[in-house]
Amino acid sequence: MTSEKTYYIWGLFPPKEIEYLSFLKEKAQSKLISPCFDVHITLLGPYLNIDKTFISKLKSFGETNSSIILQCDGYRFQQEIFKSFYISIKDSIHLNELRKNISKLNKFNYDKNFSPHISLCYGNHKIEEKKELILKLPKFNKLIRLSKIALAEINEDINQWKIKESFDLN
Protein backbone atom coordinates (compact mmCIF):
# COMPACT_ATOMS: atom_id res chain seq x y z
CA MET A 1 0.00 0.00 0.00
CA THR A 2 1.35 3.40 -0.92
CA SER A 3 0.55 6.37 1.23
CA GLU A 4 -0.03 9.67 -0.50
CA LYS A 5 1.12 12.81 1.26
CA THR A 6 -0.66 16.08 0.68
CA TYR A 7 -0.04 19.51 2.16
CA TYR A 8 -2.40 22.01 3.74
CA ILE A 9 -2.08 25.51 5.10
CA TRP A 10 -3.25 25.65 8.69
CA GLY A 11 -3.92 28.58 10.98
CA LEU A 12 -2.48 28.31 14.49
CA PHE A 13 -3.11 30.18 17.72
CA PRO A 14 -1.13 31.83 20.55
CA PRO A 15 -0.03 29.60 23.47
CA LYS A 16 -2.91 30.51 25.84
CA GLU A 17 -5.51 29.75 23.19
CA ILE A 18 -3.74 26.51 22.22
CA GLU A 19 -3.70 25.49 25.87
CA TYR A 20 -7.46 25.99 26.26
CA LEU A 21 -8.35 24.52 22.86
CA SER A 22 -6.16 21.48 23.67
CA PHE A 23 -7.99 21.12 26.99
CA LEU A 24 -11.32 21.09 25.11
CA LYS A 25 -9.92 18.61 22.57
CA GLU A 26 -8.73 16.28 25.35
CA LYS A 27 -12.14 16.45 27.07
CA ALA A 28 -13.87 15.66 23.77
CA GLN A 29 -11.46 12.84 22.92
CA SER A 30 -11.98 11.28 26.34
CA LYS A 31 -15.55 10.56 25.12
CA LEU A 32 -15.01 10.16 21.37
CA ILE A 33 -12.02 8.10 20.24
CA SER A 34 -9.93 10.05 17.76
CA PRO A 35 -6.46 10.01 16.21
CA CYS A 36 -3.94 12.58 17.48
CA PHE A 37 -3.55 15.92 15.69
CA ASP A 38 -2.55 19.48 16.56
CA VAL A 39 -5.26 22.07 17.23
CA HIS A 40 -5.67 24.15 14.06
CA ILE A 41 -8.02 25.69 11.53
CA THR A 42 -7.50 24.47 7.97
CA LEU A 43 -7.18 27.45 5.64
CA LEU A 44 -6.28 25.90 2.27
CA GLY A 45 -5.44 22.59 0.67
CA PRO A 46 -4.75 20.07 -0.52
CA TYR A 47 -1.53 20.88 -2.31
CA LEU A 48 -0.02 17.80 -3.97
CA ASN A 49 3.56 19.06 -3.74
CA ILE A 50 5.36 22.00 -2.22
CA ASP A 51 8.68 23.55 -3.17
CA LYS A 52 11.16 25.81 -1.36
CA THR A 53 9.92 28.86 -3.28
CA PHE A 54 6.41 28.42 -1.89
CA ILE A 55 7.76 27.96 1.65
CA SER A 56 9.76 31.15 1.23
CA LYS A 57 6.62 32.97 0.05
CA LEU A 58 4.72 31.71 3.11
CA LYS A 59 7.46 33.03 5.39
CA SER A 60 7.34 36.46 3.69
CA PHE A 61 3.55 36.40 3.88
CA GLY A 62 3.75 35.91 7.65
CA GLU A 63 6.15 38.83 7.98
CA THR A 64 3.90 41.20 6.05
CA ASN A 65 0.43 40.15 7.26
CA SER A 66 -1.23 40.61 10.63
CA SER A 67 -2.92 38.15 12.92
CA ILE A 68 -6.73 38.10 12.76
CA ILE A 69 -9.51 37.58 15.27
CA LEU A 70 -11.90 34.67 14.83
CA GLN A 71 -15.34 34.41 16.41
CA CYS A 72 -16.04 30.93 17.79
CA ASP A 73 -19.67 29.91 17.40
CA GLY A 74 -20.12 26.88 19.66
CA TYR A 75 -19.74 23.17 19.06
CA ARG A 76 -21.03 21.42 15.97
CA PHE A 77 -20.77 17.98 14.42
CA GLN A 78 -21.32 16.23 11.12
CA GLN A 79 -21.27 12.66 9.95
CA GLU A 80 -17.91 13.18 8.21
CA ILE A 81 -14.64 11.75 9.52
CA PHE A 82 -12.77 15.08 9.55
CA LYS A 83 -15.73 17.13 10.77
CA SER A 84 -16.95 14.64 13.32
CA PHE A 85 -16.89 17.10 16.26
CA TYR A 86 -15.61 20.68 16.12
CA ILE A 87 -15.81 24.31 17.18
CA SER A 88 -17.59 26.30 14.50
CA ILE A 89 -15.94 29.57 13.41
CA LYS A 90 -18.02 32.41 11.99
CA ASP A 91 -16.97 33.26 8.47
CA SER A 92 -15.54 36.78 8.20
CA ILE A 93 -14.13 39.20 5.66
CA HIS A 94 -10.71 39.04 7.39
CA LEU A 95 -10.61 35.24 7.30
CA ASN A 96 -11.61 35.12 3.63
CA GLU A 97 -9.06 37.82 2.71
CA LEU A 98 -6.32 35.87 4.50
CA ARG A 99 -7.26 32.70 2.61
CA LYS A 100 -7.53 34.50 -0.73
CA ASN A 101 -4.12 36.17 -0.31
CA ILE A 102 -2.42 32.89 0.67
CA SER A 103 -4.00 31.17 -2.34
CA LYS A 104 -2.38 33.75 -4.65
CA LEU A 105 1.11 32.70 -3.48
CA ASN A 106 0.94 29.47 -5.45
CA LYS A 107 -1.99 30.07 -7.83
CA PHE A 108 -4.13 27.74 -5.73
CA ASN A 109 -7.78 27.39 -6.74
CA TYR A 110 -9.34 29.26 -3.84
CA ASP A 111 -12.47 27.36 -2.80
CA LYS A 112 -15.30 29.63 -1.73
CA ASN A 113 -17.21 26.68 -0.18
CA PHE A 114 -15.35 27.08 3.08
CA SER A 115 -16.68 25.85 6.39
CA PRO A 116 -14.31 27.31 9.01
CA HIS A 117 -13.89 25.15 12.09
CA ILE A 118 -11.42 23.85 14.67
CA SER A 119 -11.70 20.07 14.87
CA LEU A 120 -11.73 18.46 18.27
CA CYS A 121 -12.31 14.85 17.11
CA TYR A 122 -11.90 12.94 13.88
CA GLY A 123 -13.72 9.69 13.27
CA ASN A 124 -17.07 8.01 12.90
CA HIS A 125 -19.02 8.67 16.08
CA LYS A 126 -22.65 8.22 17.00
CA ILE A 127 -24.85 11.31 16.83
CA GLU A 128 -26.18 10.70 20.35
CA GLU A 129 -22.63 10.62 21.76
CA LYS A 130 -21.90 13.97 20.11
CA LYS A 131 -25.10 15.57 21.39
CA GLU A 132 -24.31 14.35 24.89
CA LEU A 133 -20.75 15.70 24.65
CA ILE A 134 -22.00 19.19 23.74
CA LEU A 135 -23.97 19.26 26.98
CA LYS A 136 -20.90 18.28 29.02
CA LEU A 137 -18.38 20.74 27.56
CA PRO A 138 -18.12 24.36 28.72
CA LYS A 139 -19.81 26.88 26.43
CA PHE A 140 -17.37 28.27 23.87
CA ASN A 141 -18.47 31.36 21.95
CA LYS A 142 -15.31 33.42 22.38
CA LEU A 143 -12.96 35.45 20.24
CA ILE A 144 -9.61 33.82 19.50
CA ARG A 145 -6.59 35.07 17.60
CA LEU A 146 -5.13 33.31 14.58
CA SER A 147 -1.46 34.24 15.05
CA LYS A 148 0.47 31.87 12.75
CA ILE A 149 0.21 30.06 9.47
CA ALA A 150 1.68 26.60 9.09
CA LEU A 151 2.48 24.14 6.37
CA ALA A 152 1.11 20.75 7.41
CA GLU A 153 2.00 17.44 5.82
CA ILE A 154 -0.97 15.10 5.78
CA ASN A 155 -1.19 11.37 5.23
CA GLU A 156 -4.79 10.38 5.86
CA ASP A 157 -4.08 6.72 5.00
CA ILE A 158 -2.09 6.37 8.21
CA ASN A 159 -3.77 9.12 10.28
CA GLN A 160 -0.71 11.36 10.29
CA TRP A 161 -0.80 15.15 10.50
CA LYS A 162 2.56 16.92 10.90
CA ILE A 163 3.39 20.60 11.00
CA LYS A 164 6.45 20.98 8.76
CA GLU A 165 6.98 24.72 9.28
CA SER A 166 5.10 27.58 10.89
CA PHE A 167 5.35 31.33 10.49
CA ASP A 168 4.21 34.06 12.85
CA LEU A 169 1.81 36.61 11.46
CA ASN A 170 3.05 40.12 12.09
Side-chain angles (χ1 to χ4, degrees):
M1 176 174 98
T2 60
S3 299
E4 294 296 320
K5 292 179 185 175
T6 55
Y7 300 87
Y8 286 77
I9 306 302
W10 285 359
L12 304 177
F13 312 98
K16 277 192 174 182
E17 275 111 334
I18 287 176
E19 185 179 332
Y20 191 69
L21 290 168
S22 294
F23 163 77
L24 293 174
K25 185 178 82 149
E26 287 169 21
K27 295 274 277 181
Q29 289 185 6
S30 73
K31 303 291 182 198
L32 303 175
I33 295 172
S34 174
C36 294
F37 56 90
D38 292 308
V39 172
H40 67 278
I41 180 171
T42 300
L43 299 172
L44 290 167
Y47 292 88
L48 299 180
N49 42 35
I50 296 293
D51 60 19
K52 289 180 182 179
T53 302
F54 181 62
I55 293 170
S56 182
K57 287 179 183 179
L58 278 177
K59 181 179 180 187
S60 294
F61 184 88
E63 292 168 351
T64 58
N65 286 271
S66 298
S67 62
I68 63 170
I69 301 298
L70 303 175
Q71 172 66 55
C72 296
D73 193 25
Y75 305 104
R76 304 277 189 280
F77 59 84
Q78 294 181 23
Q79 290 304 98
E80 290 180 40
I81 290 174
F82 300 112
K83 288 186 183 174
S84 183
F85 193 84
Y86 58 90
I87 297 167
S88 180
I89 302 295
K90 286 189 178 180
D91 213 350
S92 71
I93 293 168
H94 298 295
L95 181 55
N96 281 310
E97 278 298 307
L98 180 76
R99 291 182 66 245
K100 184 171 79 175
N101 291 334
I102 293 171
S103 74
K104 290 177 183 176
L105 299 177
N106 202 26
K107 297 184 177 107
F108 186 79
N109 186 8
Y110 164 66
D111 179 19
K112 292 187 183 346
N113 293 327
F114 178 54
S115 173
H117 66 280
I118 300 168
S119 288
L120 298 177
C121 297
Y122 294 158
N124 293 310
H125 305 103
K126 294 179 182 169
I127 291 172
E128 285 308 312
E129 291 175 322
K130 297 180 209 186
K131 287 180 179 178
E132 193 175 304
L133 180 56
I134 288 174
L135 298 174
K136 292 182 178 180
L137 289 173
K139 300 280 183 247
F140 197 71
N141 294 324
K142 301 183 184 318
L143 297 175
I144 59 172
R145 190 164 58 95
L146 190 156
S147 61
K148 292 183 179 191
I149 54 172
L151 176 63
E153 182 181 272
I154 312 299
N155 188 328
E156 292 174 358
D157 294 338
I158 60 171
N159 288 336
Q160 186 177 59
W161 299 268
K162 276 195 280 193
I163 294 173
K164 299 300 281 180
E165 299 206 39
S166 66
F167 308 101
D168 290 328
L169 292 168
N170 192 355

Short mmCIF file of all heavy atoms in Angstrom, two decimals, residues 39-92:
data_model
loop_
_atom_site.label_atom_id
_atom_site.label_comp_id
_atom_site.label_asym_id
_atom_site.label_seq_id
_atom_site.Cartn_x
_atom_site.Cartn_y
_atom_site.Cartn_z
N VAL A 39 -4.13 21.14 17.34
CA VAL A 39 -5.26 22.07 17.23
C VAL A 39 -4.95 23.08 16.12
O VAL A 39 -3.88 23.68 16.11
CB VAL A 39 -5.48 22.80 18.57
CG1 VAL A 39 -6.51 23.90 18.42
CG2 VAL A 39 -5.90 21.82 19.65
N HIS A 40 -5.90 23.26 15.20
CA HIS A 40 -5.67 24.15 14.06
C HIS A 40 -6.99 24.48 13.38
O HIS A 40 -8.01 23.84 13.64
CB HIS A 40 -4.75 23.47 13.04
CG HIS A 40 -5.40 22.29 12.39
ND1 HIS A 40 -5.45 21.04 12.99
CD2 HIS A 40 -6.05 22.16 11.21
CE1 HIS A 40 -6.10 20.20 12.21
NE2 HIS A 40 -6.49 20.85 11.11
N ILE A 41 -6.94 25.45 12.49
CA ILE A 41 -8.02 25.69 11.53
C ILE A 41 -7.40 25.52 10.15
O ILE A 41 -6.36 26.09 9.85
CB ILE A 41 -8.66 27.09 11.70
CG1 ILE A 41 -9.78 27.30 10.67
CG2 ILE A 41 -7.63 28.20 11.65
CD1 ILE A 41 -10.61 28.56 10.90
N THR A 42 -8.00 24.67 9.33
CA THR A 42 -7.50 24.47 7.97
C THR A 42 -7.91 25.67 7.12
O THR A 42 -9.09 26.03 7.07
CB THR A 42 -8.06 23.17 7.37
OG1 THR A 42 -7.65 22.08 8.19
CG2 THR A 42 -7.56 22.96 5.95
N LEU A 43 -6.92 26.28 6.47
CA LEU A 43 -7.18 27.45 5.64
C LEU A 43 -7.26 27.09 4.16
O LEU A 43 -8.15 27.57 3.46
CB LEU A 43 -6.09 28.51 5.86
CG LEU A 43 -5.98 29.04 7.29
CD1 LEU A 43 -4.76 29.94 7.43
CD2 LEU A 43 -7.25 29.79 7.67
N LEU A 44 -6.32 26.28 3.69
CA LEU A 44 -6.28 25.90 2.27
C LEU A 44 -5.68 24.52 2.10
O LEU A 44 -4.84 24.09 2.89
CB LEU A 44 -5.42 26.89 1.46
CG LEU A 44 -5.96 28.29 1.27
CD1 LEU A 44 -4.86 29.21 0.75
CD2 LEU A 44 -7.13 28.29 0.32
N GLY A 45 -6.02 23.87 1.02
CA GLY A 45 -5.44 22.59 0.67
C GLY A 45 -6.49 21.75 -0.04
O GLY A 45 -7.65 22.14 -0.12
N PRO A 46 -6.09 20.64 -0.57
CA PRO A 46 -4.75 20.07 -0.52
C PRO A 46 -3.85 20.56 -1.66
O PRO A 46 -4.32 20.83 -2.76
CB PRO A 46 -5.01 18.58 -0.70
CG PRO A 46 -6.24 18.51 -1.57
CD PRO A 46 -7.06 19.72 -1.18
N TYR A 47 -2.58 20.67 -1.33
CA TYR A 47 -1.53 20.88 -2.31
C TYR A 47 -0.87 19.51 -2.50
O TYR A 47 -0.58 18.84 -1.51
CB TYR A 47 -0.47 21.86 -1.80
CG TYR A 47 -0.94 23.29 -1.64
CD1 TYR A 47 -1.53 23.72 -0.46
CD2 TYR A 47 -0.77 24.22 -2.66
CE1 TYR A 47 -1.94 25.03 -0.30
CE2 TYR A 47 -1.18 25.53 -2.50
CZ TYR A 47 -1.77 25.94 -1.32
OH TYR A 47 -2.17 27.23 -1.17
N LEU A 48 -0.62 19.11 -3.73
CA LEU A 48 -0.02 17.80 -3.97
C LEU A 48 1.49 17.80 -3.76
O LEU A 48 2.07 16.79 -3.37
CB LEU A 48 -0.38 17.28 -5.36
CG LEU A 48 -1.88 17.10 -5.58
CD1 LEU A 48 -2.16 16.59 -6.98
CD2 LEU A 48 -2.48 16.17 -4.53
N ASN A 49 2.13 18.94 -4.04
CA ASN A 49 3.56 19.06 -3.74
C ASN A 49 3.88 20.51 -3.45
O ASN A 49 3.19 21.42 -3.88
CB ASN A 49 4.44 18.49 -4.86
CG ASN A 49 3.95 18.85 -6.24
OD1 ASN A 49 3.43 19.94 -6.44
ND2 ASN A 49 4.12 17.95 -7.18
N ILE A 50 4.94 20.69 -2.70
CA ILE A 50 5.36 22.00 -2.22
C ILE A 50 6.85 22.14 -2.52
O ILE A 50 7.61 21.19 -2.33
CB ILE A 50 5.13 22.10 -0.69
CG1 ILE A 50 3.64 22.00 -0.36
CG2 ILE A 50 5.74 23.35 -0.11
CD1 ILE A 50 2.79 23.16 -0.83
N ASP A 51 7.25 23.33 -2.95
CA ASP A 51 8.68 23.55 -3.17
C ASP A 51 9.20 24.64 -2.24
O ASP A 51 8.44 25.29 -1.53
CB ASP A 51 8.97 23.87 -4.64
CG ASP A 51 8.26 25.13 -5.14
OD1 ASP A 51 7.84 25.96 -4.31
OD2 ASP A 51 8.15 25.28 -6.36
N LYS A 52 10.52 24.83 -2.25
CA LYS A 52 11.16 25.81 -1.36
C LYS A 52 10.70 27.23 -1.66
O LYS A 52 10.63 28.06 -0.75
CB LYS A 52 12.68 25.70 -1.46
CG LYS A 52 13.20 24.44 -0.82
CD LYS A 52 14.71 24.35 -0.92
CE LYS A 52 15.17 23.04 -0.31
NZ LYS A 52 16.60 22.85 -0.37
N THR A 53 10.39 27.53 -2.91
CA THR A 53 9.92 28.86 -3.28
C THR A 53 8.61 29.18 -2.58
O THR A 53 8.43 30.27 -2.04
CB THR A 53 9.75 28.96 -4.81
OG1 THR A 53 10.99 28.66 -5.44
CG2 THR A 53 9.28 30.34 -5.24
N PHE A 54 7.70 28.21 -2.56
CA PHE A 54 6.41 28.42 -1.89
C PHE A 54 6.61 28.61 -0.39
O PHE A 54 5.99 29.48 0.22
CB PHE A 54 5.46 27.27 -2.18
CG PHE A 54 4.11 27.44 -1.55
CD1 PHE A 54 3.28 28.50 -1.89
CD2 PHE A 54 3.65 26.54 -0.61
CE1 PHE A 54 2.04 28.67 -1.31
CE2 PHE A 54 2.41 26.70 -0.01
CZ PHE A 54 1.60 27.76 -0.36
N ILE A 55 7.47 27.83 0.22
CA ILE A 55 7.76 27.96 1.65
C ILE A 55 8.33 29.34 1.94
O ILE A 55 7.94 30.00 2.92
CB ILE A 55 8.69 26.84 2.13
CG1 ILE A 55 7.96 25.49 2.04
CG2 ILE A 55 9.18 27.10 3.56
CD1 ILE A 55 8.83 24.28 2.26
N SER A 56 9.19 29.82 1.08
CA SER A 56 9.76 31.15 1.23
C SER A 56 8.67 32.22 1.13
O SER A 56 8.66 33.20 1.89
CB SER A 56 10.84 31.36 0.17
OG SER A 56 11.44 32.60 0.32
N LYS A 57 7.74 32.03 0.20
CA LYS A 57 6.62 32.97 0.05
C LYS A 57 5.73 32.97 1.30
O LYS A 57 5.25 34.01 1.72
CB LYS A 57 5.79 32.62 -1.18
CG LYS A 57 6.46 32.95 -2.50
CD LYS A 57 5.57 32.52 -3.65
CE LYS A 57 6.21 32.77 -5.00
NZ LYS A 57 5.33 32.33 -6.11
N LEU A 58 5.52 31.79 1.88
CA LEU A 58 4.72 31.71 3.11
C LEU A 58 5.39 32.47 4.25
O LEU A 58 4.73 33.19 5.00
CB LEU A 58 4.53 30.25 3.55
CG LEU A 58 3.44 29.44 2.88
CD1 LEU A 58 3.46 28.01 3.39
CD2 LEU A 58 2.07 30.06 3.11
N LYS A 59 6.71 32.32 4.34
CA LYS A 59 7.46 33.03 5.39
C LYS A 59 7.31 34.55 5.20
O LYS A 59 7.02 35.27 6.16
CB LYS A 59 8.93 32.63 5.35
CG LYS A 59 9.75 33.30 6.42
CD LYS A 59 11.19 32.85 6.36
CE LYS A 59 11.96 33.57 7.47
NZ LYS A 59 13.38 33.34 7.40
N SER A 60 7.50 35.02 3.98
CA SER A 60 7.34 36.46 3.69
C SER A 60 5.91 36.92 3.96
O SER A 60 5.69 38.02 4.47
CB SER A 60 7.69 36.76 2.23
OG SER A 60 9.04 36.52 2.00
N PHE A 61 4.95 36.08 3.63
CA PHE A 61 3.55 36.40 3.88
C PHE A 61 3.34 36.64 5.37
O PHE A 61 2.68 37.61 5.77
CB PHE A 61 2.65 35.27 3.38
CG PHE A 61 1.19 35.55 3.53
CD1 PHE A 61 0.50 36.21 2.53
CD2 PHE A 61 0.50 35.16 4.67
CE1 PHE A 61 -0.86 36.48 2.66
CE2 PHE A 61 -0.85 35.43 4.81
CZ PHE A 61 -1.53 36.09 3.81
N GLY A 62 3.87 35.76 6.20
CA GLY A 62 3.75 35.91 7.65
C GLY A 62 4.34 37.22 8.15
O GLY A 62 3.78 37.88 9.02
N GLU A 63 5.47 37.61 7.56
CA GLU A 63 6.15 38.83 7.98
C GLU A 63 5.39 40.09 7.59
O GLU A 63 5.57 41.14 8.20
CB GLU A 63 7.56 38.86 7.39
CG GLU A 63 8.46 37.79 7.97
CD GLU A 63 9.76 37.60 7.19
OE1 GLU A 63 9.92 38.19 6.09
OE2 GLU A 63 10.63 36.85 7.68
N THR A 64 4.57 40.00 6.57
CA THR A 64 3.90 41.20 6.05
C THR A 64 2.39 41.22 6.30
O THR A 64 1.71 42.15 5.85
CB THR A 64 4.16 41.35 4.52
OG1 THR A 64 3.68 40.17 3.87
CG2 THR A 64 5.64 41.54 4.24
N ASN A 65 1.86 40.21 6.98
CA ASN A 65 0.43 40.15 7.26
C ASN A 65 0.19 40.02 8.75
O ASN A 65 0.97 39.40 9.46
CB ASN A 65 -0.22 39.00 6.50
CG ASN A 65 -0.35 39.31 5.03
OD1 ASN A 65 -1.33 39.88 4.60
ND2 ASN A 65 0.68 38.98 4.25
N SER A 66 -0.91 40.57 9.20
CA SER A 66 -1.23 40.61 10.63
C SER A 66 -2.09 39.43 11.05
O SER A 66 -2.82 38.84 10.24
CB SER A 66 -1.99 41.89 10.96
OG SER A 66 -1.19 43.00 10.67
N SER A 67 -2.03 39.15 12.35
CA SER A 67 -2.92 38.15 12.92
C SER A 67 -4.36 38.65 12.78
O SER A 67 -4.60 39.84 12.57
CB SER A 67 -2.57 37.91 14.39
OG SER A 67 -2.74 39.08 15.14
N ILE A 68 -5.31 37.73 12.86
CA ILE A 68 -6.73 38.10 12.76
C ILE A 68 -7.49 37.50 13.92
O ILE A 68 -7.05 36.52 14.54
CB ILE A 68 -7.36 37.69 11.41
CG1 ILE A 68 -7.35 36.17 11.23
CG2 ILE A 68 -6.68 38.39 10.24
CD1 ILE A 68 -8.17 35.68 10.04
N ILE A 69 -8.64 38.07 14.21
CA ILE A 69 -9.51 37.58 15.27
C ILE A 69 -10.61 36.73 14.64
O ILE A 69 -11.21 37.11 13.64
CB ILE A 69 -10.12 38.75 16.06
CG1 ILE A 69 -9.02 39.62 16.69
CG2 ILE A 69 -11.10 38.25 17.12
CD1 ILE A 69 -8.13 38.91 17.68
N LEU A 70 -10.84 35.57 15.26
CA LEU A 70 -11.90 34.67 14.83
C LEU A 70 -12.97 34.60 15.91
O LEU A 70 -12.66 34.59 17.10
CB LEU A 70 -11.34 33.26 14.60
CG LEU A 70 -10.19 33.12 13.61
CD1 LEU A 70 -9.68 31.68 13.60
CD2 LEU A 70 -10.61 33.56 12.22
N GLN A 71 -14.22 34.54 15.48
CA GLN A 71 -15.34 34.41 16.41
C GLN A 71 -15.78 32.95 16.46
O GLN A 71 -16.25 32.40 15.46
CB GLN A 71 -16.52 35.27 15.97
CG GLN A 71 -17.80 35.05 16.77
CD GLN A 71 -17.68 35.50 18.22
OE1 GLN A 71 -17.33 36.65 18.48
NE2 GLN A 71 -17.96 34.61 19.15
N CYS A 72 -15.58 32.31 17.61
CA CYS A 72 -16.04 30.93 17.79
C CYS A 72 -17.56 30.96 17.95
O CYS A 72 -18.12 31.89 18.53
CB CYS A 72 -15.39 30.30 19.01
SG CYS A 72 -13.61 30.13 18.82
N ASP A 73 -18.20 29.92 17.43
CA ASP A 73 -19.67 29.91 17.40
C ASP A 73 -20.21 28.58 17.94
O ASP A 73 -21.12 28.00 17.36
CB ASP A 73 -20.13 30.15 15.95
CG ASP A 73 -21.61 30.47 15.87
OD1 ASP A 73 -22.18 30.95 16.85
OD2 ASP A 73 -22.19 30.21 14.79
N GLY A 74 -19.62 28.09 19.01
CA GLY A 74 -20.12 26.88 19.66
C GLY A 74 -19.67 25.60 18.99
O GLY A 74 -18.92 25.60 18.02
N TYR A 75 -20.11 24.50 19.55
CA TYR A 75 -19.74 23.17 19.06
C TYR A 75 -20.73 22.71 18.00
O TYR A 75 -21.92 22.99 18.08
CB TYR A 75 -19.74 22.17 20.22
CG TYR A 75 -18.87 22.58 21.37
CD1 TYR A 75 -19.42 23.08 22.54
CD2 TYR A 75 -17.49 22.49 21.28
CE1 TYR A 75 -18.62 23.47 23.60
CE2 TYR A 75 -16.68 22.88 22.33
CZ TYR A 75 -17.26 23.38 23.50
OH TYR A 75 -16.46 23.77 24.53
N ARG A 76 -20.21 22.00 17.03
CA ARG A 76 -21.03 21.42 15.97
C ARG A 76 -20.48 20.04 15.65
O ARG A 76 -19.36 19.69 16.02
CB ARG A 76 -20.98 22.27 14.69
CG ARG A 76 -21.38 23.71 14.85
CD ARG A 76 -22.88 23.89 14.80
NE ARG A 76 -23.23 25.31 14.74
CZ ARG A 76 -23.27 26.12 15.78
NH1 ARG A 76 -22.94 25.70 16.98
NH2 ARG A 76 -23.63 27.39 15.65
N PHE A 77 -21.25 19.28 14.89
CA PHE A 77 -20.77 17.98 14.42
C PHE A 77 -21.43 17.65 13.10
O PHE A 77 -22.46 18.21 12.74
CB PHE A 77 -21.04 16.88 15.45
CG PHE A 77 -22.48 16.71 15.82
CD1 PHE A 77 -23.33 15.92 15.04
CD2 PHE A 77 -23.00 17.33 16.94
CE1 PHE A 77 -24.66 15.75 15.38
CE2 PHE A 77 -24.34 17.17 17.29
CZ PHE A 77 -25.16 16.38 16.51
N GLN A 78 -20.79 16.75 12.37
CA GLN A 78 -21.32 16.23 11.12
C GLN A 78 -21.01 14.74 11.09
O GLN A 78 -20.25 14.23 11.91
CB GLN A 78 -20.68 16.93 9.92
CG GLN A 78 -21.06 18.39 9.82
CD GLN A 78 -20.45 19.08 8.61
OE1 GLN A 78 -20.11 18.43 7.62
NE2 GLN A 78 -20.30 20.38 8.68
N GLN A 79 -21.56 14.07 10.14
CA GLN A 79 -21.27 12.66 9.95
C GLN A 79 -20.19 12.51 8.87
O GLN A 79 -20.36 11.79 7.90
CB GLN A 79 -22.55 11.88 9.60
CG GLN A 79 -23.53 11.76 10.75
CD GLN A 79 -22.92 11.13 12.00
OE1 GLN A 79 -22.52 11.82 12.92
NE2 GLN A 79 -22.85 9.82 12.03
N GLU A 80 -19.09 13.25 9.06
CA GLU A 80 -17.91 13.18 8.21
C GLU A 80 -16.71 12.94 9.12
O GLU A 80 -16.62 13.52 10.19
CB GLU A 80 -17.68 14.51 7.48
CG GLU A 80 -18.69 14.84 6.41
CD GLU A 80 -18.37 16.17 5.74
OE1 GLU A 80 -17.18 16.46 5.49
OE2 GLU A 80 -19.31 16.92 5.48
N ILE A 81 -15.78 12.12 8.68
CA ILE A 81 -14.64 11.75 9.52
C ILE A 81 -13.90 12.98 10.03
O ILE A 81 -13.58 13.07 11.21
CB ILE A 81 -13.69 10.81 8.76
CG1 ILE A 81 -14.36 9.44 8.59
CG2 ILE A 81 -12.36 10.65 9.49
CD1 ILE A 81 -13.59 8.46 7.73
N PHE A 82 -13.60 13.95 9.15
CA PHE A 82 -12.77 15.08 9.55
C PHE A 82 -13.57 16.29 10.04
O PHE A 82 -13.01 17.35 10.30
CB PHE A 82 -11.79 15.45 8.43
CG PHE A 82 -10.87 14.30 8.10
CD1 PHE A 82 -10.96 13.65 6.89
CD2 PHE A 82 -9.95 13.85 9.03
CE1 PHE A 82 -10.13 12.57 6.61
CE2 PHE A 82 -9.13 12.77 8.76
CZ PHE A 82 -9.22 12.13 7.55
N LYS A 83 -14.87 16.11 10.15
CA LYS A 83 -15.73 17.13 10.77
C LYS A 83 -16.65 16.45 11.78
O LYS A 83 -17.79 16.85 11.99
CB LYS A 83 -16.57 17.86 9.71
CG LYS A 83 -15.78 18.79 8.83
CD LYS A 83 -16.72 19.55 7.93
CE LYS A 83 -15.95 20.43 6.98
NZ LYS A 83 -16.84 21.06 6.00
N SER A 84 -16.13 15.42 12.41
CA SER A 84 -16.95 14.64 13.32
C SER A 84 -17.44 15.48 14.50
O SER A 84 -18.61 15.45 14.84
CB SER A 84 -16.17 13.42 13.82
OG SER A 84 -16.99 12.63 14.65
N PHE A 85 -16.52 16.25 15.12
CA PHE A 85 -16.89 17.10 16.26
C PHE A 85 -15.94 18.28 16.27
O PHE A 85 -14.72 18.09 16.25
CB PHE A 85 -16.79 16.31 17.57
CG PHE A 85 -17.44 17.02 18.72
CD1 PHE A 85 -18.81 16.91 18.94
CD2 PHE A 85 -16.69 17.80 19.58
CE1 PHE A 85 -19.41 17.58 19.99
CE2 PHE A 85 -17.29 18.46 20.64
CZ PHE A 85 -18.65 18.35 20.84
N TYR A 86 -16.48 19.51 16.30
CA TYR A 86 -15.61 20.68 16.12
C TYR A 86 -16.22 21.94 16.73
O TYR A 86 -17.38 21.96 17.13
CB TYR A 86 -15.33 20.92 14.64
CG TYR A 86 -16.56 21.12 13.77
CD1 TYR A 86 -17.09 22.39 13.56
CD2 TYR A 86 -17.19 20.04 13.16
CE1 TYR A 86 -18.21 22.58 12.77
CE2 TYR A 86 -18.31 20.22 12.37
CZ TYR A 86 -18.82 21.48 12.17
OH TYR A 86 -19.93 21.67 11.39
N ILE A 87 -15.37 22.97 16.80
CA ILE A 87 -15.81 24.31 17.18
C ILE A 87 -16.05 25.06 15.87
O ILE A 87 -15.15 25.17 15.04
CB ILE A 87 -14.75 25.04 18.02
CG1 ILE A 87 -14.51 24.29 19.34
CG2 ILE A 87 -15.16 26.49 18.27
CD1 ILE A 87 -13.28 24.76 20.09
N SER A 88 -17.25 25.55 15.70
CA SER A 88 -17.59 26.30 14.50
C SER A 88 -16.98 27.71 14.60
O SER A 88 -16.95 28.30 15.68
CB SER A 88 -19.11 26.39 14.36
OG SER A 88 -19.45 27.11 13.20
N ILE A 89 -16.49 28.22 13.49
CA ILE A 89 -15.94 29.57 13.41
C ILE A 89 -16.81 30.37 12.45
O ILE A 89 -17.09 29.92 11.34
CB ILE A 89 -14.48 29.55 12.89
CG1 ILE A 89 -13.58 28.70 13.80
CG2 ILE A 89 -13.93 30.98 12.74
CD1 ILE A 89 -13.40 29.21 15.21
N LYS A 90 -17.23 31.55 12.88
CA LYS A 90 -18.02 32.41 11.99
C LYS A 90 -17.14 32.88 10.84
O LYS A 90 -16.02 33.33 11.05
CB LYS A 90 -18.58 33.60 12.75
CG LYS A 90 -19.71 33.24 13.66
CD LYS A 90 -20.37 34.48 14.24
CE LYS A 90 -21.54 34.05 15.11
NZ LYS A 90 -22.24 35.18 15.70
N ASP A 91 -17.68 32.77 9.65
CA ASP A 91 -16.97 33.26 8.47
C ASP A 91 -16.85 34.78 8.58
O ASP A 91 -17.74 35.43 9.11
CB ASP A 91 -17.74 32.88 7.21
CG ASP A 91 -16.83 32.60 6.04
OD1 ASP A 91 -15.62 32.87 6.13
OD2 ASP A 91 -17.34 32.11 5.01
N SER A 92 -15.74 35.33 8.11
CA SER A 92 -15.54 36.78 8.20
C SER A 92 -14.77 37.28 6.98
O SER A 92 -14.10 36.51 6.30
CB SER A 92 -14.78 37.15 9.48
OG SER A 92 -13.43 36.73 9.38
#
